[in-house]
Amino acid sequence: MQVQLATIFFLLISTTVLPPSTTASYAQPPITGYAPAPSPTSDDTDYIRTSCATTRYPETCFTSLYNYSTTVRHDAGRLAMVAIHVALHNATHVAKYVSNMYSNEPNYSGNTRESAAINDCESVFDDAVYQMRKSVKEMRQLGWTGESVRFQLSNVQTWMSAALTNEDTCIDGFEGVADGGVKEDVCGRVVAVMEVTSNALALVNRYADTISN
């Protein structure tokens, strides 16, 4: 019988946003609403590293999630939930960043390839954020039987995959736009978010593989 994740813990993350660089260090978002967690043990962090080894971006995965190791407590479901929250927060930040870029800069209001790419990116990131929010909601209300949990996780897998596709579509929209400047700025931020989204999906897949009847 699966214990509902909603009864295990509820995450309210006030996060520091990932930098627009896939090689920069990742700041650790605090979790609010809980007593301060003890310092992670090597066993706790080893679980995060081992789990992240199954993802496409293992170092990004570890550096963005290791500070949650005492909350995760070797639980694949909790780890997947934390990873989705981290991806959601950062996708939300990029969506707001691109929206502000488009609305606050008169140079982007014309009918240019660059302004069209920014406008399209804003739209697809709004979709990605919506899909991740649905994923968080589904993870909070997982059922009690293996069959129901597998069905709900299949929804999460579908939505997180769609979110990743939408993020990639943003980058595709900049084909034909001159390198540097806005293109480099936006695409760098999007790539960083794509990494944590991809990792979150991989950790959901890993959790789904542990569910039995």
Side-chain angles (χ1 to χ4, degrees):
M1 179 180 295
Q2 300 299 319
V3 179
Q4 286 182 301
L5 287 182
T7 65
I8 297 174
F9 76 124
F10 178 81
L11 290 174
L12 294 173
I13 297 181
S14 175
T15 67
T16 302
V17 178
L18 301 181
S21 168
T22 57
T23 58
S25 61
Y26 290 81
Q28 299 305 310
I31 300 177
T32 62
Y34 293 91
S39 298
T41 66
S42 59
D43 188 47
D44 292 331
T45 56
D46 284 347
Y47 176 76
I48 302 295
R49 188 174 291 282
T50 299
S51 300
C52 285
T54 65
T55 69
R56 187 172 182 180
Y57 307 101
E59 194 57 35
T60 296
C61 178
F62 179 74
T63 54
S64 63
L65 299 177
Y66 82 94
N67 204 42
Y68 300 120
S69 56
T70 55
T71 298
V72 169
R73 293 293 185 188
H74 294 221
D75 187 298
R78 294 186 186 188
L79 182 57
M81 181 69 147
V82 169
I84 295 172
H85 269 284
V86 170
L88 171 59
H89 174 84
N90 286 279
T92 301
H93 176 79
V94 170
K96 291 179 179 178
Y97 181 84
V98 173
S99 177
N100 290 338
M101 173 183 288
Y102 188 82
S103 60
N104 295 337
E105 177 52 65
N107 291 336
Y108 300 143
S109 61
N111 184 22
T112 67
R113 180 61 180 162
E114 188 174 83
S115 65
I118 294 170
N119 188 45
D120 290 345
C121 188
E122 178 185 6
S123 176
V124 295
F125 253 86
D126 284 344
D127 290 341
V129 167
Y130 173 68
Q131 288 149 350
M132 289 188 200
R133 285 175 176 162
K134 289 200 298 183
S135 297
V136 168
K137 182 178 180 181
E138 195 81 341
M139 291 291 290
R140 287 176 181 161
Q141 56 190 28
L142 292 181
W144 291 88
T145 67
E147 183 179 0
S148 64
V149 172
R150 284 198 309 275
F151 175 76
Q152 289 172 287
L153 288 177
S154 71
N155 290 335
V156 175
Q157 289 168 315
T158 298
W159 294 328
M160 292 301 294
S161 179
L164 187 60
T165 298
N166 277 315
E167 293 163 359
D168 190 44
T169 299
C170 171
I171 292 180
D172 290 343
F174 281 90
E175 291 183 5
V177 175
D179 291 338
V182 170
K183 179 178 181 178
E184 182 177 348
D185 179 26
V186 174
C187 290
R189 294 173 187 274
V190 173
V191 167
V193 176
M194 287 182 67
E195 289 192 8
V196 291
T197 304
S198 171
N199 289 341
L201 175 58
L203 293 172
V204 172
N205 292 341
R206 183 174 183 268
Y207 175 46
D209 288 341
T210 69
I211 305 301
S212 62
N213 291 323

